[in-house]
């Protein structure tokens, strides 16, 4: 890996801005590809990072076009799961053929979908961070901020270099020996928390203080584990309970990305979260009624354009 790599964040929402901002703060060459209002604010003042450990404006480049991809060594792909194919197809003519792509996305199949479209080395990356954009060029960090890297095609020395790179930039990073399982553990959390947070426009900590919601999370979890097993991923109930509990504690002030999307009247990733469980459940002949209910309610709110931002 280039000792002074050029990093491009593709789809710089709150997750992309957090990790891109952390890398820029560590002195790396970073370009955020973001929406025009964020680009204007960041270009003028820098990216404002209101983090648990610091609050400051971080100097980082920002653009709305895809030209920086031509010289990128590392691409952090942070686009929404429903947009993966369309965005990658659109940018592949710009993309440096030697660039490493890291999929920092929700869901379990984005890296696979990317590799079907481009030949670049692509690694699924599990993200644990609680963030939100609270204004043009302004990021709020609610908790955590670590990455788990892995390869779907066996071990890679490149992963060691990438992990060292992130850790030296003060981003905790581990290499997984079973990235598919780690992807499903994070996916389980997304299915358990995102939709409920969106429907109630409520933070995780408040969610889990309601016993009826905890019971619902437990049922969603059981259904996800049944589907995961059919997919060749074995997760114990104890492992599932541990990861679900940790999210409620370490990200108590966070509203899910699905909640943030609904509040802004935007389409969500629910088709690639609980919706995927519903589809796979039907394929395997499994009853996944709790996931079906969450999926249906979020789709209803999406369809009717409910905007709860002022509530």
């Amino acid at each position: 890996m280039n000792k002074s790599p050029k990093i491009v964040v593709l789809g710089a929402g709150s997750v992309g801005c957090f990790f891109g901002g952390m890398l820029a703060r560590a002195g790396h060459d970073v370009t955020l590809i973001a929406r025009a209002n964020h680009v204007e604010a960041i270009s003028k003042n820098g990216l404002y990072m209101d983090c648990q450990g610091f609050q400051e404006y971080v100097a980082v480049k920002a653009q709305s076009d895809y030209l920086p991809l031509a010289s990128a060594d590392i691409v952090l792909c942070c686009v929404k799961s429903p947009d993966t194919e369309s965005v990658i197809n659109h940018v592949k003519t710009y993309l440096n053929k030697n660039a490493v792509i890291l999929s920092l996305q929700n869901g379990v199949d984005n890296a696979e979908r990317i590799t079907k479209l481009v030949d670049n080395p692509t690694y699924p990356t599990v993200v644990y961070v609680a963030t939100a954009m609270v204004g043009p060029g302004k990021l709020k960090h609610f908790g955590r901020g670590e990455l788990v890297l892995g390869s779907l095609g066996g071990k890679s020395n490149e992963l060691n270099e990438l992990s060292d790179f992130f850790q030296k930039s003060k981003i905790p990073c581990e290499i997984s020996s079973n990235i598919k399982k780690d992807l499903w553990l994070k996916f389980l959390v997304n299915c358990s928390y995102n939709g409920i947070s969106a429907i109630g426009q409520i933070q995780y900590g408040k969610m889990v203080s309601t016993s009826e919601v905890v019971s619902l999370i437990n049922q969603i979890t059981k259904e996800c584990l049944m589907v995961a097993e059919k997919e060749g991923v074995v997760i114990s109930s104890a492992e599932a309970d541990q990861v679900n509990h940790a999210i409620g504690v370490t990200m108590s002030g966070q509203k899910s990305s699905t909640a943030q999307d609904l509040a802004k009247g935007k389409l969500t990733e629910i088709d690639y979260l609980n919706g995927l469980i519903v589809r796979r459940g039907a394929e395997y002949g499994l009853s996944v009624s709790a996931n079906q209910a969450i999926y249906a309610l979020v789709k209803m709110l999406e369809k009717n354009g409910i905007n709860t931002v002022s509530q």
Side-chain angles (χ1 to χ4, degrees), residues 165 177-178 191 243 261 302:
F165 172 72
S177 60
N178 188 349
C191 290
V243 72
D261 286 338
E302 247 187 14

Side-chain angles (χ1 to χ4, degrees), residues 21-259:
M22 290 295 290
L23 291 171
R25 190 169 183 258
H28 297 295
D29 185 340
V30 179
T31 302
L32 307 176
I33 297 179
R35 296 181 183 275
N37 61 331
H38 293 300
V39 169
E40 183 179 358
I42 293 167
S43 298
K44 182 179 180 180
N45 301 311
L47 172 67
Y48 184 70
M49 301 185 70
D50 182 0
C51 294
Q52 293 189 320
F54 64 91
Q55 297 80 40
E56 64 186 61
Y57 283 94
V58 175
V60 60
K61 292 179 285 187
Q63 294 183 211
S64 295
D65 60 72
Y66 299 119
L67 294 177
L69 289 169
S71 58
D73 297 299
I74 300 172
V75 176
L76 306 185
C77 183
C78 303
V79 302
K80 296 288 187 181
S81 292
D83 300 327
T84 297
E85 282 92 353
S86 61
V87 170
I88 296 299
N89 271 322
H90 188 74
V91 306
K92 63 184 180 182
T93 55
Y94 298 89
L95 187 63
N96 174 7
K97 65 180 181 179
N98 296 316
V100 174
I101 301 174
L102 302 182
S103 167
L104 278 69
Q105 299 168 273
N106 286 329
V108 292
D109 63 352
N110 283 292
E112 293 177 84
R113 291 156 62 200
I114 292 170
T115 58
K116 291 178 181 179
L117 301 174
V118 293
D119 294 328
N120 298 67
T122 302
Y123 299 108
T125 307
V126 183
V127 178
Y128 286 105
V129 70
T131 54
M133 299 304 294
V134 293
K138 294 184 177 181
L139 171 79
K140 175 69 175 178
H141 173 226
F142 296 98
R144 298 183 69 169
E146 66 266 28
L147 301 174
V148 180
L149 302 176
S151 172
L152 295 172
K155 292 184 178 179
S156 169
N157 291 332
E158 202 164 37
L159 287 177
N160 292 322
E161 296 180 49
L162 288 164
S163 178
D164 288 344
F165 172 72
F166 283 113
Q167 292 187 63
K168 288 176 181 176
S169 302
K170 297 184 179 180
I171 298 172
C173 184
E174 297 180 4
I175 299 174
S176 171
S177 60
N178 188 349
I179 193 63
K180 188 173 182 180
K181 181 175 181 178
D182 283 312
L183 284 168
W184 271 86
L185 281 167
K186 173 64 187 304
F187 178 65
L188 166 67
V189 166
N190 287 145
C191 290
S192 298
Y193 278 79
N194 283 32
I196 298 173
S197 174
I199 294 162
Q201 287 296 306
I202 191 170
Q203 295 94 341
Y204 295 162
K206 291 181 179 179
M207 277 174 50
V208 296
S209 68
T210 304
S211 61
E212 292 83 357
V213 170
V214 173
S215 295
L216 177 57
I217 288 173
N218 290 338
Q219 183 57 38
I220 291 170
T221 298
K222 289 179 183 178
E223 296 172 3
C224 289
L225 295 187
M226 289 192 302
V227 173
E229 187 174 4
K230 293 290 187 180
E231 293 281 311
V233 180
V234 179
I235 299 170
S236 70
S237 296
E239 289 173 313
D241 290 343
Q242 182 179 20
V243 72
N244 272 334
H245 176 74
I247 294 299
V249 173
T250 61
M251 299 185 182
S252 60
Q254 173 79 352
K255 286 184 182 179
S256 71
S257 57
T258 307

Side-chain angles (χ1 to χ4, degrees), residues 223 227 230 274-289 292:
E223 296 172 3
V227 173
K230 293 290 187 180
N274 304 81
L276 185 143
I277 293 295
V278 171
R279 293 192 298 276
R280 298 288 169 86
E283 291 172 14
Y284 295 125
L286 299 173
S287 175
V288 291
S289 56
Q292 173 65 52

